[in-house]
Amino acid sequence: QQQVKQSPQSLIVQKGGISIINCAYENTAFDYFPWYQQFPGKGPALLIAIRPDVSEKKEGRFTISFNKSAKQFSLHIMDSQPGDSATYFCAASKGPGNQFYFGTGTSLTVIP
Amino acid sequence: GAVVSQHPSRVICKSGTSVKIECRSLDFQATTMFWYRQFPKKSLMLMATSNEGSKATYEQGVEKDKFLINHASLTLSTLTVTSAHPEDSSFYICSARLGTEAFFGQGTRLTVV
Protein backbone atom coordinates (compact mmCIF):
# COMPACT_ATOMS: atom_id res chain seq x y z
CA GLN A 1 0.00 0.00 0.00
CA GLN A 2 1.42 3.34 -1.07
CA GLN A 3 1.61 5.49 2.07
CA VAL A 4 2.41 8.65 0.15
CA LYS A 5 0.87 9.37 -3.24
CA GLN A 6 2.62 11.75 -5.61
CA SER A 7 1.58 13.45 -8.83
CA PRO A 8 2.25 14.13 -11.59
CA GLN A 9 4.58 11.36 -12.71
CA SER A 10 6.30 13.73 -15.12
CA LEU A 11 6.26 17.45 -15.67
CA ILE A 12 7.59 19.72 -18.38
CA VAL A 13 7.95 23.40 -17.62
CA GLN A 14 9.33 26.34 -19.53
CA LYS A 15 12.32 28.14 -18.07
CA GLY A 16 11.10 30.82 -15.69
CA GLY A 17 7.82 29.05 -15.04
CA ILE A 18 6.46 27.53 -11.85
CA SER A 19 6.75 23.79 -11.24
CA ILE A 20 4.18 22.29 -8.89
CA ILE A 21 4.31 18.76 -7.53
CA ASN A 22 1.66 17.39 -5.21
CA CYS A 23 1.64 14.71 -2.54
CA ALA A 24 -1.03 13.21 -0.32
CA TYR A 25 -0.82 10.97 2.70
CA GLU A 26 -3.19 9.02 4.93
CA ASN A 27 -1.33 8.44 8.18
CA THR A 28 -1.97 11.35 10.53
CA ALA A 29 0.92 10.20 12.70
CA PHE A 30 3.39 11.48 10.12
CA ASP A 31 5.20 14.49 11.53
CA TYR A 32 7.93 15.28 9.04
CA PHE A 33 7.54 15.90 5.32
CA PRO A 34 10.70 16.39 3.25
CA TRP A 35 11.24 16.79 -0.45
CA TYR A 36 14.23 15.23 -2.14
CA GLN A 37 15.90 15.99 -5.44
CA GLN A 38 17.66 13.22 -7.31
CA PHE A 39 19.85 13.47 -10.37
CA PRO A 40 20.53 10.37 -12.50
CA GLY A 41 23.02 8.01 -10.90
CA LYS A 42 23.07 9.94 -7.63
CA GLY A 43 21.48 9.52 -4.24
CA PRO A 44 18.58 11.78 -3.20
CA ALA A 45 19.48 15.12 -1.65
CA LEU A 46 17.28 16.98 0.80
CA LEU A 47 15.72 20.03 -0.78
CA ILE A 48 13.32 21.38 1.81
CA ALA A 49 11.18 19.96 4.60
CA ILE A 50 8.20 20.95 6.71
CA ARG A 51 6.50 19.90 9.91
CA PRO A 52 2.69 19.77 10.24
CA ASP A 53 2.46 22.76 12.57
CA VAL A 54 3.46 25.06 9.71
CA SER A 55 1.38 25.75 6.59
CA GLU A 56 4.15 27.04 4.39
CA LYS A 57 7.92 27.08 4.25
CA LYS A 58 10.03 28.92 1.73
CA GLU A 59 13.71 28.53 0.96
CA GLY A 60 14.90 30.51 -2.00
CA ARG A 61 12.93 29.44 -5.06
CA PHE A 62 11.47 26.41 -3.30
CA THR A 63 8.27 26.51 -1.27
CA ILE A 64 6.36 23.79 0.52
CA SER A 65 2.66 24.32 1.07
CA PHE A 66 1.10 22.09 3.68
CA ASN A 67 -2.61 21.45 4.21
CA LYS A 68 -3.03 19.39 7.35
CA SER A 69 -6.79 18.99 7.14
CA ALA A 70 -6.59 17.74 3.55
CA LYS A 71 -3.48 15.67 4.30
CA GLN A 72 -1.73 17.14 1.31
CA PHE A 73 1.49 18.98 0.69
CA SER A 74 3.08 20.37 -2.39
CA LEU A 75 6.38 21.65 -3.72
CA HIS A 76 6.50 24.83 -5.74
CA ILE A 77 9.60 25.71 -7.70
CA MET A 78 9.53 29.34 -8.76
CA ASP A 79 11.48 30.64 -11.74
CA SER A 80 12.29 27.08 -12.80
CA GLN A 81 15.68 26.60 -14.41
CA PRO A 82 17.09 23.87 -16.68
CA GLY A 83 19.38 22.89 -13.79
CA ASP A 84 16.27 21.99 -11.80
CA SER A 85 15.61 19.14 -14.22
CA ALA A 86 15.69 16.08 -11.96
CA THR A 87 13.43 13.62 -10.22
CA TYR A 88 11.68 14.88 -7.12
CA PHE A 89 10.40 12.70 -4.32
CA CYS A 90 8.15 13.67 -1.47
CA ALA A 91 8.37 11.67 1.71
CA ALA A 92 6.88 11.36 5.14
CA SER A 93 7.97 9.89 8.43
CA LYS A 94 6.77 9.58 11.99
CA GLY A 95 9.20 10.29 14.76
CA PRO A 96 12.97 10.69 14.53
CA GLY A 97 14.98 7.66 13.54
CA ASN A 98 12.15 5.94 11.72
CA GLN A 99 11.88 5.04 8.08
CA PHE A 100 10.72 7.39 5.37
CA TYR A 101 7.82 6.59 3.12
CA PHE A 102 8.50 7.91 -0.34
CA GLY A 103 6.20 9.06 -3.08
CA THR A 104 6.56 7.55 -6.52
CA GLY A 105 8.61 10.45 -7.86
CA THR A 106 8.13 13.20 -10.43
CA SER A 107 10.45 13.63 -13.35
CA LEU A 108 10.79 17.36 -13.97
CA THR A 109 12.13 18.72 -17.23
CA VAL A 110 12.68 22.45 -17.56
CA ILE A 111 13.08 23.47 -21.17
CA PRO A 112 15.07 26.60 -22.08
CA GLY B 1 25.02 19.18 6.20
CA ALA B 2 25.83 15.70 7.39
CA VAL B 3 27.55 13.39 4.96
CA VAL B 4 26.86 9.76 4.19
CA SER B 5 29.45 8.08 2.02
CA GLN B 6 28.67 4.95 0.05
CA HIS B 7 31.24 2.75 -1.66
CA PRO B 8 31.68 1.60 -4.34
CA SER B 9 29.66 3.83 -6.64
CA ARG B 10 29.69 1.19 -9.38
CA VAL B 11 30.44 -2.50 -9.34
CA ILE B 12 30.22 -5.25 -11.91
CA CYS B 13 30.34 -8.83 -10.73
CA LYS B 14 29.82 -12.29 -12.14
CA SER B 15 26.78 -14.38 -11.36
CA GLY B 16 27.25 -16.46 -8.24
CA THR B 17 29.72 -14.14 -6.56
CA SER B 18 29.12 -11.86 -3.58
CA VAL B 19 29.40 -8.11 -3.46
CA LYS B 20 29.77 -5.89 -0.41
CA ILE B 21 28.55 -2.30 -0.33
CA GLU B 22 29.66 0.01 2.47
CA CYS B 23 27.76 2.92 3.94
CA ARG B 24 29.50 5.32 6.29
CA SER B 25 28.24 8.31 8.22
CA LEU B 26 31.26 10.59 8.07
CA ASP B 27 30.54 13.24 10.65
CA PHE B 28 27.86 11.80 12.87
CA GLN B 29 26.94 8.56 14.55
CA ALA B 30 24.01 6.63 13.22
CA THR B 31 22.42 3.93 15.32
CA THR B 32 20.05 3.24 12.46
CA MET B 33 20.72 3.12 8.75
CA PHE B 34 18.38 2.21 5.94
CA TRP B 35 19.03 0.31 2.73
CA TYR B 36 16.99 1.00 -0.36
CA ARG B 37 16.79 -0.44 -3.81
CA GLN B 38 15.77 1.67 -6.75
CA PHE B 39 14.76 0.46 -10.19
CA PRO B 40 15.06 2.76 -13.22
CA LYS B 41 12.59 5.62 -13.08
CA LYS B 42 11.06 4.20 -9.92
CA SER B 43 10.86 5.22 -6.31
CA LEU B 44 13.09 4.02 -3.50
CA MET B 45 12.05 0.68 -2.08
CA LEU B 46 13.06 0.10 1.52
CA MET B 47 14.85 -3.23 1.83
CA ALA B 48 15.90 -3.24 5.45
CA THR B 49 16.62 -1.19 8.52
CA SER B 50 20.11 -1.67 9.89
CA ASN B 51 20.50 -1.35 13.65
CA GLU B 52 23.90 -0.97 15.29
CA GLY B 53 24.72 -3.94 17.45
CA SER B 54 21.63 -5.94 16.58
CA LYS B 55 20.01 -7.77 13.71
CA ALA B 56 18.64 -5.88 10.78
CA THR B 57 14.93 -5.64 10.19
CA TYR B 58 13.96 -6.73 6.71
CA GLU B 59 10.92 -5.63 4.75
CA GLN B 60 8.48 -8.20 3.57
CA GLY B 61 9.68 -10.03 0.49
CA VAL B 62 13.37 -9.23 0.99
CA GLU B 63 15.51 -12.34 1.38
CA LYS B 64 17.58 -12.09 4.54
CA ASP B 65 20.05 -14.72 3.44
CA LYS B 66 20.63 -13.03 0.13
CA PHE B 67 21.00 -9.48 1.35
CA LEU B 68 23.19 -9.65 4.43
CA ILE B 69 23.35 -6.51 6.50
CA ASN B 70 25.92 -5.79 9.17
CA HIS B 71 25.98 -2.67 11.30
CA ALA B 72 29.09 -3.24 13.35
CA SER B 73 29.74 0.33 14.41
CA LEU B 74 27.92 3.62 14.80
CA THR B 75 29.37 4.87 11.52
CA LEU B 76 29.37 1.83 9.25
CA SER B 77 26.74 -0.44 7.80
CA THR B 78 27.40 -2.95 5.05
CA LEU B 79 25.11 -4.69 2.59
CA THR B 80 26.39 -7.91 1.06
CA VAL B 81 24.58 -9.30 -1.94
CA THR B 82 25.33 -13.01 -1.82
CA SER B 83 25.29 -15.37 -4.80
CA ALA B 84 24.37 -12.49 -7.04
CA HIS B 85 22.17 -13.02 -10.08
CA PRO B 86 21.42 -10.71 -13.00
CA GLU B 87 18.04 -9.85 -11.47
CA ASP B 88 19.91 -8.35 -8.50
CA SER B 89 21.27 -5.68 -10.82
CA SER B 90 19.95 -2.40 -9.49
CA PHE B 91 20.79 0.88 -7.80
CA TYR B 92 21.28 0.45 -4.07
CA ILE B 93 21.16 3.46 -1.75
CA CYS B 94 21.81 3.75 1.96
CA SER B 95 20.53 6.41 4.30
CA ALA B 96 21.12 7.52 7.85
CA ARG B 97 18.99 9.79 9.95
CA LEU B 98 20.31 12.61 12.09
CA GLY B 99 17.42 13.86 14.16
CA THR B 100 14.53 14.42 11.80
CA GLU B 101 16.61 14.66 8.67
CA ALA B 102 17.77 11.77 6.49
CA PHE B 103 20.98 11.85 4.54
CA PHE B 104 21.62 9.57 1.60
CA GLY B 105 24.69 8.00 0.17
CA GLN B 106 25.50 8.56 -3.47
CA GLY B 107 24.25 5.10 -4.37
CA THR B 108 25.84 1.98 -5.82
CA ARG B 109 25.08 0.76 -9.30
CA LEU B 110 25.36 -3.02 -9.22
CA THR B 111 25.52 -4.93 -12.47
CA VAL B 112 25.59 -8.71 -12.35
CA VAL B 113 26.76 -10.37 -15.55
Side-chain angles (χ1 to χ4, degrees), chain A residues 32 36 38 41-44 46 51 89 93 95-100 102-104, chain B residues 32 34 36 38 42-44 46 59 91 93 97 99-102 104-107:
Chain A
Y32 181 67
Y36 288 88
Q38 185 180 30
K42 302 294 183 183
L46 178 65
R51 300 190 70 90
F89 293 96
S93 72
N98 292 320
Q99 70 173 89
F100 279 77
F102 285 90
T104 48
Chain B
T32 303
F34 303 92
Y36 296 87
Q38 188 177 33
K42 297 293 184 182
S43 188
L44 288 79
L46 181 66
E59 295 300 300
F91 193 55
I93 308 172
R97 291 198 70 168
T100 52
E101 293 189 29
F104 289 83
Q106 54 268 62

Side-chain angles (χ1 to χ4, degrees), chain A:
Chain A
Q1 183 184 359
Q2 190 71 32
Q3 296 259 6
V4 180
K5 296 180 180 179
Q6 183 172 347
S7 64
Q9 186 175 0
S10 63
L11 182 61
I12 299 175
V13 173
Q14 289 270 355
K15 178 182 175 182
I18 303 173
S19 304
I20 301 174
I21 305 170
N22 301 300
C23 283
Y25 64 97
E26 288 297 325
N27 192 337
T28 55
F30 288 146
D31 60 4
Y32 181 67
F33 302 89
W35 284 90
Y36 288 88
Q37 179 188 57
Q38 185 180 30
F39 292 103
K42 302 294 183 183
L46 178 65
L47 199 59
I48 187 172
I50 199 168
R51 300 190 70 90
D53 54 347
V54 177
S55 61
E56 185 175 282
K57 183 175 181 180
K58 183 176 181 180
E59 289 184 0
R61 297 185 293 112
F62 303 94
T63 301
I64 298 180
S65 296
F66 188 84
N67 186 329
K68 189 174 181 178
S69 60
K71 292 185 285 187
Q72 295 174 348
F73 58 111
S74 60
L75 174 69
H76 295 234
I77 306 175
M78 312 299 286
D79 187 26
S80 299
Q81 299 296 312
D84 296 331
S85 297
T87 300
Y88 293 81
F89 293 96
C90 62
S93 72
K94 46 185 176 181
N98 292 320
Q99 70 173 89
F100 279 77
Y101 296 89
F102 285 90
T104 48
T106 296
S107 176
L108 171 66
T109 301
V110 180
I111 51 178

Side-chain angles (χ1 to χ4, degrees), chain B:
Chain B
V3 176
V4 173
S5 177
Q6 192 172 335
H7 178 80
S9 58
R10 290 179 174 271
V11 59
I12 300 172
C13 71
K14 292 185 177 181
S15 289
T17 62
S18 295
V19 174
K20 180 185 285 188
I21 303 170
E22 293 188 347
C23 180
R24 295 180 183 273
S25 56
L26 296 185
D27 49 2
F28 66 102
Q29 294 181 332
T31 55
T32 303
M33 291 186 178
F34 303 92
W35 286 96
Y36 296 87
R37 183 172 179 175
Q38 188 177 33
F39 292 101
K41 300 187 184 300
K42 297 293 184 182
S43 188
L44 288 79
M45 181 189 77
L46 181 66
M47 298 175 63
T49 301
S50 170
N51 303 296
E52 188 269 335
S54 63
K55 291 183 179 180
T57 304
Y58 290 82
E59 295 300 300
Q60 191 173 8
V62 178
E63 298 177 59
K64 301 178 184 181
D65 296 332
K66 181 164 192 60
F67 299 99
L68 299 180
I69 291 174
N70 184 278
H71 195 153
S73 77
L74 288 172
T75 59
L76 174 64
S77 176
T78 61
L79 168 67
T80 301
V81 183
T82 64
S83 186
H85 289 282
E87 56 265 32
D88 298 326
S89 298
S90 192
F91 193 55
Y92 294 87
I93 308 172
C94 69
S95 170
R97 291 198 70 168
L98 179 60
T100 52
E101 293 189 29
F103 298 92
F104 289 83
Q106 54 268 62
T108 297
R109 171 71 60 193
L110 170 63
T111 303
V112 184
V113 298

